[in-house]
Amino acid sequence: MSTYQATVSAPVNIACIKYWGKRDTKLILPTNSSLSVTLDQDHLRSTTSARCDPGFEKDALWLNGKEDEIKPGGRLATCITEMKKLRKEYEDQNPNEPKISGYSVRIASENNFPTAAGLASSASGFAALVYALATLYKLPSSPSQLSLIARQGSGSACRSLFGGFVAWEMGTSVTGTDSFAVQVAPAEHWSDMHALICVVSDAKKGTSSTSGMQRTVETSELLQWRIKEVVPKRMKEMQKAILDKDFDTFATITMRDSNQFHAVALDTDPPIFYMNDTSRAIVAMVTELNRVSVENGGGLKAAYTYDAGPNAVIYAREKDMKEIVNMVCHYFPLLASTQPYEDRFKLFSAGEKVGEMPLPAGFNEGVAKVANDAASSVSRLIHTRVGGGPRVLDDSKEGLLDAQGVPRKLVA
Amino acid sequence: MSTYQATVSAPVNIACIKYWGKRDTKLILPTNSSLSVTLDQDHLRSTTSARCDPGFEKDALWLNGKEDEIKPGGRLATCITEMKKLRKEYEDQNPNEPKISGYSVRIASENNFPTAAGLASSASGFAALVYALATLYKLPSSPSQLSLIARQGSGSACRSLFGGFVAWEMGTSVTGTDSFAVQVAPAEHWSDMHALICVVSDAKKGTSSTSGMQRTVETSELLQWRIKEVVPKRMKEMQKAILDKDFDTFATITMRDSNQFHAVALDTDPPIFYMNDTSRAIVAMVTELNRVSVENGGGLKAAYTYDAGPNAVIYAREKDMKEIVNMVCHYFPLLASTQPYEDRFKLFSAGEKVGEMPLPAGFNEGVAKVANDAASSVSRLIHTRVGGGPRVLDDSKEGLLDAQGVPRKLVA
């Protein structure tokens, strides 16, 4: 008897034009298009194994070794059901293929980044889930077709089906058939696009993005203008900036769109605040870095963006990253002592001390105060870059399920 | 020979519908109407004496005992020139009146609240300046007519010409003749409207409102929607709420409009942040107080509002103020030890300890953390209420200029 099993990995993505608001909460259809950069899964990824077998009594899923309930009608169930449907169609069209669409599936998924990193793991997680089943089922579906299903797991997951620079076109259909992801450009097109994730400590648990965005849809008057007038224009400008590798425009739109997302969150009743004083300090630092560069005849060097939390992601070209890492460690010196920055791109040579190298000439250090206490610090720094889309892994080496179809790693 | 001298006082006002953006920076014509509550000048006021004399060589002004330069073409010069013009017209129409419009003036002004209180003193200051000259010149002008001139000193000053609840109608004329303040209702109409000013420590000097609002006009796309669609509707709803003494609507619009003002500041490029983590904690506290009240079948108890800085002003009815003062002192306990709350309305009896009385049943204390460090605390608490418009004082008792026309209080 055959074993039907596949293992894949899928990347994280961070939006430059933000998704905030659903027009259909069940199908997860957004109120505006969005655009993101896929990050390198050598550094951050979800890995997922999927297996189907006539002996399995029911569908089951383990996340980081812990069994997760597949609620009927829930997001996980929807994705699994839709993938089984695609397999069934494929079997109907290819009568020689084994009839496995009726088997129950077992799925094990792991993230290689801690939840404490404050990264939305739902995007990479649902992309990996859908891609693992597509691989298991040998489906000929394109990434855009799969993105229609991943979208129903978690909106932003649809963008993790592609590497590089990815647009999620909102579509207009009420059934959602035209609300999918497309690739604007592959990672190789602009490979020196790097990203620095600054994990910011925050005592307060923020509003969940699912409930927060719906409150914004219901109560923010400014959101309507953003949806109608602002985002459509920015989507076009941003796609052109990416094709032209125009960092100035890319950075300007990225920062303005992050700020506008937080503006409509603040315009919500009651207001939603995701950025805290540490986030504000990083905004001030990046603004000053860019000001000095422009004043000296250069262009913008960095672009901050904030999702539904206080963490900053700073996009910059590889050549400027050393200066930026040094600057972050200068303002948040605890970082160097408590959680060393992992210099995976070998920016610093042996004699150089991260955080203690000089700031650029003309930089007004007083724009933000140096934070030397854990409460207002950056607790972790992850340096990565633009990367490719989901990968099929060698199941015999990297599979997460053992021969019996039980996760190798189990947590009670 | 006669002495021409007058002394007046004028109140502070705090907007519930915010003024942010000028369509004419010289005439100070706003991009939207605004609405404020005038605070009781028994507690917070600017006092101004004005004198004119043929022996004075030039116009001169002292602010808190320190001479201020009257720059030609500047805001002070504009207000003084316009008031002299009104006097000249009055003299032309009343030939028996003394011809004093050509005399130079000396003006001394003092605020009874420290700059550290973080209150915009320009509103009460320019209102007092204009009202002092109107009194000196015995002008028959109405407060709305005087507000046209005060507006050219500082936009929000036009609203301090009235007590109670005051609208600044933006007008449409390019010359500004229809951009003036009107009274929506006098203080007596809703006399239990109280206000608690929470002065918040902030290490960082924020963007000045003059430059900040122009950057918003130039770069925020959301501002246009606020101007066109949101504020006109809110102005109408707010006026009705005041006439109906409908605190729920008053509070809802006040909080939403404060949040929207800060949202458009954040939508500015580079973004402007006025609220800090302490401001956010007060928002969370008020939101929770209202939530518990509504859950128990009551209405809203409090409304926060923030101007161009981190300080909160909490509007509430007198009956709810005791609970609110206790709650602020609970979250910011340093307040009680460093700067005792002045209980001018005798809310607390001898045995009661401010900040240590129980919070309301069902209140989730964890919405904000208790701040026990000076850096993130509230440094001062001022309890006041709605009050009347400018007052003419007895110059012989409260005049700030001596017999020679020199400020009694002089600072080098």
Side-chain angles (χ1 to χ4, degrees), chain A residues 100-144:
Chain A
I100 60 174
S101 62
Y103 296 175
S104 287
V105 293
R106 286 194 187 173
I107 297 159
S109 189
E110 284 176 11
N111 303 318
N112 80 331
F113 48 93
T115 310
L119 291 162
S121 55
S122 59
S124 53
F126 274 101
L129 168 71
V130 166
Y131 198 72
L133 290 170
T135 306
L136 170 70
Y137 289 154
K138 297 183 167 38
L139 298 178
S141 315
S142 69
S144 287

Side-chain angles (χ1 to χ4, degrees), chain B residues 106-126:
Chain B
R106 286 195 188 171
I107 298 159
S109 189
E110 285 177 10
N111 304 318
N112 80 330
F113 49 91
T115 309
L119 291 161
S121 55
S122 58
S124 53
F126 274 101

Side-chain angles (χ1 to χ4, degrees), chain A residues 49-72:
Chain A
S49 291
R51 183 168 172 175
C52 63
D53 192 286
F56 293 162
E57 285 181 15
K58 63 176 184 83
D59 295 336
L61 181 140
W62 291 264
L63 183 57
N64 292 322
K66 200 175 165 182
E67 189 164 4
D68 209 359
E69 194 193 344
I70 302 175
K71 292 191 193 109

